[in-house]
Amino acid sequence: MPSYNAGVPPQPAYPAPQPSSYAPPVPSGKRLTPAPVAPVAPTQAPAPVPMRAVLAPSQLIVAASGAALPLPSAAQAIIGRGDPVSNFFPEIDLNPYGAIDNGVGRRHVRLFVQGGQVLIEDMDSTNGTLLNSQKLTARQPQPLHDGDQISVGKLLLRFSER
């Protein structure tokens, strides 16, 4: 088999590049003064925003009365109506706001925090849940934002980040 490098001289070895010490010539009788450099303020990264872990200090506002319902300092809360017969009492009880007349279920919706975001989930309620006039699919969590309108049955609430 023929060699394709036959008769080709080896590459010469060159020295590594060196930093240049070239300075432009200074006209006679002139002194060079460095241009003023504006001081640079040290940049500080903004303080990290702690990820939300609990529902508080958010609240729900009952549209009909303006009543503010503070959310608990917990990662989740069930919203519905208390029922002493079945011994169920949700974290946010809507009985004082006409829950039965408005079709609110005992376990109507769940609010919870995941990845620092507040989510709402219809818990397969009989009369459904609307988020900003859009029907929620049961067991499909959706993010909540400040000012969102929530209809549990026919009872209108507004979510407030506070």
Side-chain angles (χ1 to χ4, degrees):
M1 178 171 208
S3 171
Y4 292 104
N5 292 333
V8 177
Q11 287 285 335
Y14 295 103
Q18 299 296 314
S20 172
S21 60
Y22 170 77
V26 177
S28 62
K30 300 260 181 177
R31 272 186 15 176
L32 285 180
T33 56
V37 176
V40 176
T43 57
Q44 283 188 347
V49 177
M51 278 190 71
R52 179 183 200 134
V54 296
L55 295 167
S58 298
Q59 58 187 1
L60 294 173
I61 310 296
V62 180
S65 66
L69 309 174
L71 295 177
S73 286
Q76 74 170 356
I78 302 296
I79 298 161
R81 61 180 171 79
D83 181 26
V85 173
S86 63
N87 200 29
F88 178 75
F89 301 96
E91 286 80 10
I92 305 293
D93 187 357
L94 297 175
N95 269 330
Y97 310 100
I100 292 176
D101 294 337
N102 285 298
V104 177
R106 286 184 287 265
R107 292 175 180 86
H108 203 102
V109 296
R110 175 173 79 116
L111 299 184
F112 62 101
V113 178
Q114 184 176 23
Q117 169 75 50
V118 177
L119 302 170
I120 184 170
E121 175 184 32
D122 181 272
M123 299 190 65
D124 207 11
S125 64
T126 301
N127 294 314
T129 304
L130 301 178
L131 176 59
N132 297 321
S133 302
Q134 299 295 314
K135 183 170 177 56
L136 293 180
T137 302
R139 306 287 179 187
Q140 296 294 315
Q142 296 297 313
L144 271 180
H145 301 95
D146 190 45
D148 279 352
Q149 302 288 319
I150 304 164
S151 296
V152 285
K154 293 184 285 182
L155 186 63
L156 182 61
L157 308 169
R158 182 175 52 83
F159 178 72
S160 173
E161 289 281 354
R162 227 199 275 179

